[in-house]
Amino acid sequence: MPLSDVERVVDEWMFQRPLKYLPYCRVPGLVDLLDFLGQYGLKVGVLSDYPAATKLAALGVADRFSLVLCSTDPEIRALKPNPRGFLVACKRWGLSPGEVLTVGD
């Protein structure tokens, strides 16, 4: 199978088709939590090993994150748990690592 066909199938089945189901998977209270954090001016971001922007949009919460990074971004190019992505987030936010709380999935 040509690489372009493999890439198309992976994109469709891993990144596109699941989007319509994501709203049903949103944890109750997520929007309330994100709004609560925003009221206190806390910056909330996402660092994923896969592109997350379309998933956050499908969940209806994309506008509640000030930063969305992917391990494959040119500035990062390292999968978690490599700290490079977290350090990029700190740099963009103007914070030291000691000022950032990380919550994993």
Side-chain angles (χ1 to χ4, degrees):
M1 182 178 239
L3 179 59
S4 61
D5 288 350
V6 172
E7 289 173 339
R8 181 185 52 74
V9 169
V10 168
D11 181 65
E12 179 182 347
W13 287 93
M14 295 293 295
F15 300 112
Q16 301 306 316
R17 286 192 183 223
L19 293 176
K20 64 183 175 186
Y21 301 106
L22 288 181
Y24 304 106
C25 301
R26 190 171 74 191
V27 175
L30 174 63
V31 172
D32 293 336
L33 172 63
L34 294 172
D35 288 345
F36 174 80
L37 297 172
Q39 288 174 355
Y40 287 91
L42 296 173
K43 298 174 184 176
V44 181
V46 171
L47 170 62
S48 177
D49 283 334
Y50 300 96
T54 55
K55 293 175 185 174
L56 295 172
L59 286 167
V61 295
D63 61 333
R64 290 171 169 85
F65 294 90
S66 63
L67 187 61
V68 178
L69 298 173
C70 182
S71 295
T72 59
D73 289 348
E75 194 175 359
I76 300 171
R77 287 190 230 168
L79 297 173
K80 297 180 292 179
N82 185 299
R84 194 172 310 150
F86 298 104
L87 295 172
V88 167
C90 290
K91 180 180 176 184
R92 290 197 188 171
W93 278 332
L95 300 171
S96 71
E99 297 174 290
V100 176
L101 172 67
T102 303
V103 179
D105 57 353

